[in-house]
Amino acid sequence: MTKTFSGERFFVREQGQLFCDAAILVLLVVEVTDVTFRSDSIPAVFGITRDPFIVYTSNVFAILGLRTLYFLLAGVLDRLTYIKYGLEAAVLAFVGAKMLAERWVHISVVGSLGIVIGILALATIISLLAKPKQLE
């Protein structure tokens, strides 16, 4: 493997030997991250619905839009200070509780999506209304 980037090629020939460019390592890390996020979201989708078609297609579309969404959110993420708490704590707690209580309590797909969207909207609104933290 080369120690530097060699342009647009993934494989380069130096001194008669074939080497992998450092960019192939970056591509490998990005793709492994995509697969990790896809497999991580499967239990969350099962918390909303058991329909295999919806589970499959939602994960396919999540992978297709993951990089685009990242670049969209990267610019405003510093202003959304409480979105982390809404997503990590409230949404995951709701999905976990729904999956545990599924035998006794039925929440419709529309109701589940409404709760998730409501939690994320509330976290976004609180983040936008809160005063930015002062740097010391």
Side-chain angles (χ1 to χ4, degrees):
M1 178 165 285
T2 62
K3 294 185 188 285
T4 60
F5 295 106
S6 303
E8 298 177 0
R9 297 180 181 215
F10 289 126
F11 299 98
V12 293
R13 196 169 289 280
E14 293 178 1
Q15 301 171 352
Q17 292 184 338
L18 190 62
F19 290 96
C20 291
D21 189 67
I24 203 162
L25 184 62
V26 173
L27 178 67
L28 181 66
V29 169
V30 169
E31 294 306 322
V32 166
T33 303
D34 282 350
V35 170
T36 302
F37 281 122
R38 181 186 67 212
S39 63
D40 185 36
S41 66
I42 291 172
V45 175
F46 274 123
I48 294 174
T49 182
R50 299 284 180 176
D51 185 355
F53 177 74
I54 293 175
V55 172
Y56 175 75
T57 55
S58 68
N59 282 289
V60 167
F61 286 121
I63 287 298
L64 292 174
L66 189 62
R67 286 189 201 105
T68 305
L69 182 62
Y70 171 77
F71 288 113
L72 173 70
L73 291 177
V76 296
L77 202 54
D78 57 333
R79 292 209 46 204
L80 301 176
T81 53
Y82 296 108
I83 198 79
K84 177 175 141 181
Y85 302 110
L87 182 61
E88 291 179 3
V91 171
L92 292 178
F94 165 70
V95 169
K98 182 178 185 282
M99 290 174 74
L100 289 173
E102 181 178 24
R103 181 179 297 171
W104 305 283
V105 179
H106 175 71
I107 301 174
S108 69
V109 173
V110 174
S112 295
L113 288 175
I115 291 171
V116 169
I117 289 170
I119 291 170
L120 293 177
L122 184 64
T124 302
I125 291 168
I126 291 171
S127 295
L128 294 176
L129 293 177
K131 292 184 180 183
K133 295 180 181 177
Q134 297 294 330
L135 297 176
E136 296 179 10

